[in-house]
Amino acid sequence: MEETTVIASSSFDCGIGSWDLKTGNEQLRFKQCASPSHGLTAVGEKFLAASQLRNASGSSGSVFFWFWNKPQVEVRSFPVESITALTANSEGTYIVGGGASGDIFIWEVATGKLLKKWHAHYVSVTCLVFSGDDSLLVSGSQDGSVRVWSLIRLFDDQQRQHQERTLYEHKFDEHTMAVNDIVIDYGGCNALIVSASKDQTCKVWSLSQGKLLRSIIFPSKINALALDPGGSVFYAGGGDGNIYIGALNSKSDYATQFLGSVSDPSKAITCLAYCADGNLLISGSEGGVICVWNPRSRQPVRSFTFGHGKGPVNNIQVVRKTIVGNANKAQSSWKRNVSSLPPPLEKYERKGDDTVDGIVIVDPPLSSDVPVYSSYRSADFINEQVKELEQQGSAATEIEMERLKLEYKKSILMNDQWQKNYENLLQVVMEEELNGGSN
Amino acid sequence: MASFERFDDMCDMRLKPKILRNLLSEYIPNEKQPLVNFQSLSKVVSTISTHKLLSEPPSSSADQKKLQSKPSKSAVDDWVERLLALVSSDMPDKCWVGIVLIGVTCRECSSDRFFSLYSVWFNSLLSHIKNPESSRIVRVASCTSISDLLTRLSRFTNTKKEAVSHASKVVLPIIKLLEEESSEALWERIVHLLSTIVILFPAAFHSSYDKVEAVIASKIFSTKTSSNMLKKFAHFLALLPKANKGDAGSWSLMMQKLLISINVHLNNFFQGLEDETVGKKAIQRLAPPGKDSPLPLGGQDGALDDASWNSEQLIVSRVSALMFCSSTMLTSSYKSKLNIPVASLLSLVERVLAVNGSLPRAMSPFMTGIQQELVCAELPTLHSSALELLLATIKCIRSQLLPYAAFVVRLVSSYFSKCSLPELRIKLYSIIKTLLKSMGVGMAMQLANEVVSNASVDLEEFDAVSSKTPSLTSVAVLKSCSKKRKHSANSGAEAENPAVEVGVPHNHSLKIAALEALETLLTTAGALGLDSWRERVDNLLMTTATNACEGRWATAETYHYLPKKSSTDLVELQLAALRALLASLVSPSRVRPAFLAEGLELFQRGKCQAEMKVAEFCAHALMSLEVVIHPRALPLDGLPSLSSQFPQSDSLASQKHNTPGLNKLDRVAGKWLANVDVPCDSGIQRSLDTALPLPETKRLKLGNDLVGSENVQQADVPMKVPESTKESLGHVSDRDDMVSEEGYREVVSETREGEGLAAKDSLMEEAATGKKQESLGESDEDSVPSLKADDYLSSDSDIES
């Protein structure tokens, strides 16, 4: 069974709110969180991670983890610099963070190891998105550049030394101002990437061709994007409080439609999320209101207020979780979780011999609580045995028969031989006896 | 008396006890009567399971039913009593019959009966296993029946503890039996029983874990064990770590032991074939000096006894069994986190694949020709096991392979260039498929050239055989490929391959594997190769599919003398070729697929084939291709149109773009209208209708009555109406649309009649202003674009006029 949860965080310290999307009930509120935009992510189904704004002025950043069932911060880690964008792959095995200096970090969740760090942009990274199969990473930056990275190639040190290729697969530099959000559709290798920017445009890029397909102009700067996976349209949340609709295959240069706007028009839309289960669009605004829309009818369905309307919402994510069957099991899995807290993210890459200890920690599959069954064998066993008995004329027994026949013949011959010998011997003895007697 | 009874039909409940009694008297022996024949037993078993003869209605049912079911109960009672009597018989054959039928009864009988009798059955079965006097067939049957009994028992949740204590009673006696007896049939059943226990009741091994492990290891290292049993023992050994509380520690320990043991054996086997330091390093990595290293499996020296020093075959079959065991451990599911020693596993695979039987120059004096011959004979088996291990590793860690992915890619591609044996190439293709599936586009970028060049060699050689043209093309292809890849040494070696392989036209499995790999490549990354390999692959797949289907359909008779497998093999090949062709036609491309027409024709013909599998797939392919022939631009429900725009002069962007945008506007809108499908059209039309009143009102407000009437006539042709007006109203709900539409229609009819102009004016004003107010009410922002639109409209109509 699955449940759909909406999580949201703010740049003020309002924690992380979570709501059941179906019923609209508020769930647990996770404490102590003030994250930058794109700084909140669910790591698989395991836990929540959010980078923190508080230390932004200092030299190091901070990233906190929460478990789904506990409001307190469970793990605190302090990367070398403040993390401006954070995301995780769909399995929840890697966490990727973009730093204020333009560096991107990849951590392994199970060990906390910093696997790789590279200089991706000249200035701060604003958003990070994994491609559908988690093999590519798309990053956007404050300077308007968008880059596509192949993770496999990043880890391939040997090839990098041999070939003088750039690290990235594609670079898109057409935006003139900061990139605010990036989404990528389900097109696989032929996917379309949409980026939204402060320069009042959204640009659609082709992953396979690595070039700009079209640029769509909006009446205001675009802060957030959400993609309707089946509809070839995207929703763009504007700085003017409106949600616009754009077409991926649009032939015109202008934004097309207008979905609706939040109650207070002076408050910009700051984040958007799309939930395919029920086809809902969720928007968050500077005014702290989270609004659920039905994009077909263009009506708001439901709204949540976050942080008593004080702080702006700047992150929304829709998370699908498998619900563990009964309370008893939930408790046991909770215990297991506690006993195996993920280690904090490490600050530095390991150098020298220590870099690869060659161990990968694999989590058990989620279905491991399903009872195991074994099959019955007796009936098959009887049939096998009966078949064996029926096959008396089979090759093996025939060969055995022939062998026995041969052996029998040999034995008879041998027997005759011995018989003869005995008789001969007897004769000799008899003769000798007779001769001796006569002597 | 009973023979006069009539039954309703074959499902009558009263029939069951009759049949059961009949079976009991006819076929089942008793104390006096000897066993008639064994064959009838399978008839008895099938009758019982077809008619559910041993099932009993639950005792809590209504009284009426109780009366009916009473005779049935006693029949089952008789059945159970007879079985117990048989089990305690002195005659081994009767005893055997009793035991196997108890196994069947465990599966078939009602839960109440099972629950009341299982411990009696269990004890009598166990006594046969423990009794040294009892004959072998009786013990074999007892193991099977106990396994079934425990399986049934595991489905009762309330007796977990009791079940575990029962299961643990079995473990030691059967382990003892395993040590003492040497019959394979018995071993097989014992291993099966042990597997059942380890899966269902892992806690039963709690006290005997080490003992069990030692005995199984000794069996694996015994010279007497056949290769069939080796595999079964290895499989059980892989399950064993579940028993030790199922924790990660025991898993890791077992894996470490296995790896050390494998490497120790390899050190011996590879003597003279590789640098000795390689082996030392491998062991060192597994057992770092600072830490306590476990003993290898089977004792101090990794069970390298005298026999294994001499027989290459023995070493290889053992190492293969151990690798199989590790693979099973990697792929079977565990309940806890596992520490997978990926680096050790990968370096083991690399180590094995690096040895190809050739002698390093420095080593040659130390090895005799006959030694090398023996080693080379066994190497393919070893390589095959190593590839299996690699496959299991990839399946196990999936996306977490990332840091090692580049290493694996290099390993696979370098081995691909060296490997010419079809069996091993098939394994390589399946590894590539798994890599592509688990790591997606990023992996495809790395592997595409490797897959394409190798698959074309394997497939084009097939073409060469069928069309009798020399494989010049493949060489040419390889040359063109080597331009793209920097290390051309590999492809040079590949070009030699066809000459080696041309002798095997009848076995299609290599081609099937190559086709499947290409199909996977196209599905994951068809768009990536558009500038490089895609054209070649499309070409190749088209010819392969044509050859596989047409050439062979004509000459299919030539295969008839071969055993049945060959003809199914051909069907498999056709299916694989058609699947890959479909992928190449559907996979993204910038232009219409070059072979679309040929492909469609091929599928059309395939649909009429007698072979149902092929026909079924062709029908599916035609359905998928329909989208390619008739590209769909479906209207979006709830979003009337996407052609309207947002010209807003106060925005930074439109200041730049406004002027050209204006001229383009009508053309763009017209194109959209021309392109959209019918359902969309109606939607647009409606929105156009609703949009109309706005310019109308404006003109009417200006008092320009004449222009107003002209304009209405113009409105009958919706194409010419500027699209941009409706954006301002786009958010108005359907209900409002309807109202305004009606109002408007009235107006139009009045205008046509040319009367009541004043009334029209007022109506129009009402409709339009009402709407405007609504739009103002809904959002403040809206007023801005709508005003702009008006400005723009007037200028536009100027242009038109």
Side-chain angles (χ1 to χ4, degrees):
Chain A
M1 210 182 132
E2 277 190 341
E3 75 176 356
T4 317
T5 307
V6 179
I7 53 172
S9 73
S10 164
S11 54
F12 287 20
D13 190 357
C14 312
I16 302 170
S18 67
W19 296 268
D20 186 329
L21 189 59
K22 287 251 168 61
T23 61
N25 297 332
E26 170 146 21
Q27 293 169 336
L28 213 56
R29 167 143 316 190
F30 304 95
K31 288 173 187 159
Q32 270 191 303
C33 174
S35 62
S37 190
H38 299 289
L40 171 72
T41 184
V43 182
E45 291 187 10
K46 298 171 198 161
F47 55 89
L48 293 172
S51 74
Q52 300 300 313
L53 280 173
R54 258 160 305 187
N55 275 340
S57 54
S59 59
S60 89
S62 58
V63 175
F64 292 174
F65 295 166
W66 293 261
F67 279 109
W68 280 107
N69 44 26
K70 270 179 103 182
Q72 286 83 24
V73 179
E74 287 284 342
V75 180
R76 292 180 166 82
S77 29
F78 302 98
V80 278
E81 58 172 321
S82 76
I83 298 299
T84 49
L86 195 71
T87 189
N89 65 344
S90 54
E91 270 186 74
T93 45
Y94 297 112
I95 290 181
V96 183
S101 67
D103 285 354
I104 297 182
F105 306 80
I106 296 188
W107 289 279
E108 191 176 54
V109 172
T111 56
K113 254 190 283 181
L114 176 56
L115 294 179
K116 207 93 211 165
K117 174 190 131 178
W118 73 99
H119 195 60
H121 294 276
Y122 295 113
V123 290
S124 150
V125 179
T126 50
C127 45
L128 288 168
V129 181
F130 271 102
S131 70
D133 55 11
D134 288 340
S135 66
L136 304 179
L137 183 74
V138 188
S139 65
S141 158
Q142 194 73 41
D143 63 4
S145 61
V146 175
R147 306 238 159 128
V148 181
W149 313 89
S150 159
L151 293 177
I152 294 175
R153 217 157 68 76
L154 281 169
F155 278 100
D156 190 356
D157 300 321
Q158 207 168 319
Q159 196 190 1
R160 225 171 359 162
Q161 282 165 9
H162 287 296
Q163 297 183 0
E164 263 97 74
R165 274 172 67 187
T166 44
L167 267 178
Y168 49 79
E169 301 298 321
H170 302 304
K171 70 167 185 167
F172 305 131
D173 284 333
E174 277 89 342
H175 277 299
T176 52
M177 289 165 89
V179 176
N180 283 335
D181 204 356
I182 294 175
V183 285
I184 183 165
D185 76 357
Y186 286 152
C189 58
N190 202 25
L192 297 178
I193 301 167
V194 188
S195 60
S197 163
K198 221 173 164 183
D199 64 9
Q200 303 199 343
T201 63
C202 284
K203 295 192 194 295
V204 183
W205 319 87
S206 159
L207 180 65
S208 61
Q209 301 171 49
K211 65 173 192 191
L212 177 69
L213 293 183
R214 58 193 65 89
S215 169
I216 303 165
I217 298 157
F218 285 83
S220 91
K221 69 166 185 179
I222 300 301
N223 288 329
L225 286 175
L227 201 71
D228 181 350
S232 70
V233 294
F234 63 88
Y235 303 98
D240 56 0
N242 286 334
I243 302 172
Y244 299 94
I245 305 175
L248 289 176
N249 55 359
S250 143
K251 294 202 168 59
S252 65
D253 290 337
Y254 293 95
T256 48
Q257 294 261 324
F258 171 72
L259 181 94
S261 61
V262 281
S263 53
D264 187 352
S266 62
K267 304 285 189 188
I269 302 277
T270 47
C271 44
L272 286 174
Y274 195 87
C275 175
D277 178 20
N279 279 312
L280 297 169
L281 180 72
I282 301 141
S283 70
S285 82
E286 236 165 27
V289 180
I290 297 166
C291 194
V292 183
W293 301 80
N294 180 348
R296 299 273 184 268
S297 68
R298 307 188 186 191
Q299 297 298 321
V301 180
R302 182 175 291 138
S303 70
F304 314 116
T305 323
F306 179 56
H308 312 290
K310 278 187 298 189
V313 185
N314 62 1
N315 283 301
I316 291 184
Q317 200 177 8
V318 177
V319 187
R320 281 196 175 187
K321 277 189 302 179
T322 332
I323 302 172
V324 190
N326 55 41
N328 194 13
K329 270 182 188 165
Q331 207 171 20
S332 73
S333 73
W334 179 77
K335 270 182 196 158
R336 220 184 299 144
N337 269 344
V338 168
S339 65
S340 58
L341 284 177
L345 307 176
E346 283 174 10
K347 237 178 186 154
Y348 302 105
E349 250 177 300
R350 296 190 187 175
K351 296 283 178 213
D353 292 341
D354 212 20
T355 41
V356 180
D357 58 0
I359 303 279
V360 164
I361 300 177
V362 172
D363 280 321
L366 285 166
S367 58
S368 62
D369 283 341
V370 174
V372 278
Y373 289 116
S374 155
S375 56
Y376 295 106
R377 286 290 183 82
S378 283
D380 296 339
F381 174 70
I382 291 173
N383 290 333
E384 262 170 48
Q385 297 275 311
V386 168
K387 209 171 167 191
E388 235 169 70
L389 285 168
E390 276 173 352
Q391 284 175 336
Q392 273 172 353
S394 72
T397 42
E398 253 167 55
I399 290 168
E400 187 69 15
M401 274 291 269
E402 292 302 315
R403 196 181 61 82
L404 287 175
K405 269 184 196 164
L406 260 174
E407 222 153 79
Y408 175 67
K409 266 186 200 161
K410 261 190 203 163
S411 314
I412 286 180
L413 279 177
M414 195 76 94
N415 195 21
D416 287 354
Q417 192 69 40
W418 283 114
Q419 191 91 30
K420 259 183 203 161
N421 285 353
Y422 169 75
E423 272 167 18
N424 288 346
L425 204 64
L426 193 68
Q427 199 140 14
V428 171
V429 172
M430 291 279 274
E431 272 172 19
E432 220 156 84
E433 193 77 4
L434 283 176
N435 290 347
S438 62
N439 284 341
Chain B
M1 176 193 81
S3 57
F4 294 110
E5 226 179 313
R6 291 281 186 272
F7 305 106
D8 302 338
D9 55 9
M10 66 179 181
C11 301
D12 194 334
M13 284 294 287
R14 289 168 300 168
L15 201 57
K16 284 187 182 178
K18 298 273 173 206
I19 302 176
L20 188 59
R21 274 177 209 281
N22 191 24
L23 287 179
L24 210 50
S25 61
E26 292 270 319
Y27 301 112
I28 312 295
N30 57 23
E31 289 83 24
K32 285 157 219 163
Q33 193 184 352
L35 182 61
V36 188
N37 61 346
F38 276 101
Q39 276 91 334
S40 59
L41 266 184
S42 40
K43 176 71 185 152
V44 169
V45 172
S46 76
T47 314
I48 285 176
S49 61
T50 327
H51 290 276
K52 301 264 169 272
L53 291 182
L54 297 178
S55 70
E56 294 161 278
S59 52
S60 59
S61 59
D63 288 356
Q64 258 189 331
K65 276 189 181 169
K66 226 173 203 174
L67 279 175
Q68 280 181 349
S69 66
K70 209 175 175 189
S72 164
K73 253 197 176 145
S74 66
V76 180
D77 282 338
D78 286 352
W79 168 265
V80 170
E81 271 166 31
R82 175 77 69 83
L83 292 191
L84 276 175
L86 284 175
V87 167
S88 47
S89 155
D90 293 336
M91 300 287 291
D93 56 342
K94 284 182 186 173
C95 187
W96 182 84
V97 171
I99 289 168
V100 293
L101 287 178
I102 279 185
V104 174
T105 312
C106 282
R107 183 178 73 178
E108 296 287 335
C109 71
S110 68
S111 41
D112 288 339
R113 190 168 290 278
F114 178 79
F115 207 67
S116 59
L117 281 173
Y118 79 89
S119 60
V120 179
W121 291 339
F122 179 83
N123 287 329
S124 63
L125 292 174
L126 188 60
S127 70
H128 279 295
I129 288 181
K130 278 182 174 165
N131 183 8
E133 309 278 281
S134 56
S135 75
R136 216 181 63 210
I137 53 163
V138 168
R139 285 172 159 179
V140 171
S142 302
C143 286
T144 314
S145 291
I146 287 184
S147 160
D148 277 9
L149 191 145
L150 290 174
T151 305
R152 181 76 188 261
L153 194 56
S154 72
R155 304 191 182 180
F156 295 87
T157 46
N158 50 347
T159 54
K160 210 76 204 186
K161 254 184 197 160
E162 224 181 311
V164 170
S165 82
H166 272 91
S168 59
K169 274 184 219 157
V170 193
V171 175
L172 283 177
I174 55 174
I175 285 295
K176 193 163 159 253
L177 213 54
L178 198 58
E179 275 182 301
E180 288 165 358
E181 291 282 330
S182 61
S183 140
E184 286 233 330
L186 187 56
W187 284 1
E188 197 179 330
R189 293 296 149 181
I190 288 173
V191 170
H192 175 243
L193 177 55
L194 284 171
S195 309
T196 310
I197 297 174
V198 85
I199 291 168
L200 298 174
F201 309 107
F205 282 94
H206 189 60
S207 55
S208 48
Y209 182 84
D210 295 331
K211 169 89 176 151
V212 174
E213 189 194 307
V215 171
I216 298 290
S218 78
K219 286 288 165 194
I220 289 178
F221 291 123
S222 153
T223 46
K224 287 178 202 118
T225 315
S226 74
S227 62
N228 175 36
M229 277 317 293
L230 254 183
K231 209 160 188 184
K232 288 193 166 137
F233 281 127
H235 187 263
F236 170 69
L237 195 61
L239 297 177
L240 195 57
K242 281 180 203 273
N244 203 356
K245 289 171 249 154
D247 63 348
S250 57
W251 192 95
S252 299
L253 187 67
M254 178 70 86
M255 186 54 92
Q256 204 177 358
K257 281 181 179 178
L258 284 170
L259 287 175
I260 291 177
S261 199
I262 292 171
N263 276 305
V264 167
H265 276 84
L266 287 182
N267 285 353
N268 176 28
F269 186 64
F270 285 160
Q271 239 168 25
L273 290 169
E274 64 169 13
D275 208 342
E276 276 189 23
T277 52
V278 178
K280 272 184 194 156
K281 260 187 205 160
I283 302 271
Q284 233 165 42
R285 184 205 294 275
L286 285 161
K291 298 168 193 166
D292 298 351
S293 65
L295 291 176
L297 201 66
Q300 185 59 51
D301 54 353
L304 269 180
D305 46 23
D306 294 340
S308 57
W309 280 100
N310 296 322
S311 163
E312 276 76 13
Q313 195 200 341
L314 198 65
I315 296 184
V316 168
S317 64
R318 256 182 219 176
V319 170
S320 296
L322 294 177
M323 283 183 174
F324 172 72
C325 181
S326 331
S327 309
T328 316
M329 280 175 76
L330 288 169
T331 44
S332 60
S333 67
Y334 276 81
K335 286 190 180 180
S336 58
K337 284 188 177 184
L338 298 180
N339 298 331
I340 316 275
V342 181
S344 312
L345 284 164
L346 290 180
S347 70
L348 170 64
V349 174
E350 188 192 23
R351 179 183 181 195
V352 173
L353 297 186
V355 175
N356 64 355
S358 65
L359 297 177
R361 210 161 285 148
M363 300 286 178
S364 44
F366 301 105
M367 197 164 203
T368 60
I370 196 132
Q371 236 179 321
Q372 193 185 7
E373 186 189 321
L374 286 171
V375 168
C376 286
E378 296 300 328
L379 266 180
T381 321
L382 199 58
H383 281 199
S384 167
S385 303
L387 290 174
E388 285 287 335
L389 187 60
L390 178 61
L391 187 62
T393 311
I394 296 166
K395 277 183 184 163
C396 173
I397 61 178
R398 295 190 309 275
S399 70
Q400 283 176 276
L401 187 67
L402 194 56
Y404 308 91
F407 175 80
V408 173
V409 168
R410 265 195 296 279
L411 188 64
V412 167
S413 35
S414 74
Y415 187 65
F416 227 140
S417 63
K418 287 188 290 184
C419 158
S420 62
L421 294 174
E423 251 101 290
L424 298 180
R425 285 178 80 87
I426 291 169
K427 288 239 159 74
L428 275 175
Y429 279 124
S430 81
I431 288 173
I432 282 178
K433 265 195 298 180
T434 317
L435 279 174
L436 286 174
K437 278 178 193 158
S438 59
M439 310 209 58
V441 183
M443 182 52 87
M445 287 171 172
Q446 308 287 307
L447 273 177
N449 285 324
E450 212 60 47
V451 180
V452 172
S453 57
N454 279 295
S456 30
V457 170
D458 286 336
L459 290 173
E460 266 165 21
E461 162 222 317
F462 160 72
D463 289 347
V465 170
S466 64
S467 61
K468 294 199 174 61
T469 49
S471 56
L472 275 174
T473 43
S474 77
V475 178
V477 159
L478 279 167
K479 274 185 186 149
S480 74
C481 162
S482 61
K483 273 179 212 159
K484 267 153 206 150
R485 285 193 74 80
K486 295 232 165 167
H487 43 95
S488 55
N490 282 353
S491 23
E494 280 150 20
E496 314 282 291
N497 279 347
V500 186
E501 279 178 48
V502 159
V504 284
H506 291 302
N507 193 358
H508 296 309
S509 36
L510 178 60
K511 277 106 210 174
I512 293 173
L515 283 167
E516 282 174 353
L518 279 181
E519 187 197 345
T520 317
L521 178 66
L522 283 170
T523 37
T524 36
L528 291 182
L530 283 175
D531 301 319
S532 48
W533 46 265
R534 184 64 191 283
E535 195 189 334
R536 186 150 47 101
V537 169
D538 287 348
N539 215 327
L540 179 67
L541 289 178
M542 188 67 226
T543 32
T544 312
T546 320
N547 287 338
C549 295
E550 283 173 58
R552 302 295 156 132
W553 272 330
T555 59
E557 287 79 25
T558 51
Y559 287 89
H560 277 203
Y561 69 89
L562 288 167
K564 206 188 163 203
K565 194 190 166 274
S566 173
S567 74
T568 54
D569 210 25
L570 185 63
V571 170
E572 298 286 308
L573 175 70
Q574 285 171 356
L575 271 178
L578 291 172
R579 262 180 227 283
L581 177 64
L582 177 65
S584 105
L585 292 177
V586 175
S587 181
S589 61
R590 281 171 218 154
V591 290
R592 184 165 274 252
F595 299 105
L596 189 55
E598 289 104 314
L600 282 167
E601 213 174 283
L602 192 62
F603 286 127
Q604 188 64 44
R605 254 181 296 136
K607 210 171 95 171
C608 310
Q609 288 303 312
E611 173 58 48
M612 274 331 269
K613 267 194 207 159
V614 175
E616 191 186 327
F617 178 75
C618 286
H620 168 76
L622 285 172
M623 187 194 71
S624 321
L625 285 175
E626 192 268 339
V627 189
V628 181
I629 316 171
H630 310 130
R632 288 175 196 169
L634 295 178
L636 306 158
D637 51 327
L639 297 174
S641 82
L642 288 165
S643 53
S644 59
Q645 302 186 349
F646 239 99
Q648 219 178 320
S649 54
D650 59 345
S651 80
L652 181 103
S654 44
Q655 268 167 12
K656 274 187 260 166
H657 296 272
N658 218 0
T659 342
L662 280 178
N663 294 332
K664 258 195 284 180
L665 194 70
D666 259 3
R667 261 190 301 125
V668 171
K671 253 190 212 162
W672 255 96
L673 281 177
N675 286 341
V676 283
D677 284 349
V678 184
C680 187
D681 233 335
S682 68
I684 287 177
Q685 190 120 12
R686 206 175 65 190
S687 64
L688 282 174
D689 287 348
T690 62
L692 261 174
L694 200 61
E696 282 300 304
T697 354
K698 195 160 176 267
R699 300 229 162 88
L700 291 171
K701 265 195 254 174
L702 290 168
N704 198 346
D705 283 356
L706 275 172
V707 176
S709 65
E710 266 174 28
N711 228 20
V712 171
Q713 275 170 358
Q714 194 189 35
D716 287 337
V717 190
M719 296 285 284
K720 287 191 180 167
V721 174
E723 292 286 306
S724 55
T725 47
K726 57 184 176 300
E727 49 78 14
S728 60
L729 304 158
H731 62 282
V732 177
S733 71
D734 282 357
R735 191 175 41 79
D736 297 330
D737 284 2
M738 293 306 290
V739 173
S740 60
E741 207 174 317
E742 274 166 29
Y744 171 62
R745 288 232 164 102
E746 276 170 43
V747 173
V748 171
S749 61
E750 276 174 283
T751 336
R752 277 194 188 140
E753 284 157 31
E755 50 186 52
L757 275 173
K760 178 192 77 180
D761 276 5
S762 63
L763 262 172
M764 287 299 263
E765 290 246 23
E766 263 176 41
T769 48
K771 204 180 302 178
K772 224 171 175 183
Q773 270 161 9
E774 269 171 346
S775 70
L776 282 169
E778 266 205 32
S779 93
D780 300 11
E781 285 297 308
D782 205 19
S783 61
V784 183
S786 67
L787 274 177
K788 297 295 167 199
D790 285 357
D791 290 348
Y792 156 67
L793 268 175
S794 58
S795 67
D796 190 44
S797 62
D798 286 344
I799 296 166
E800 259 182 42
S801 62

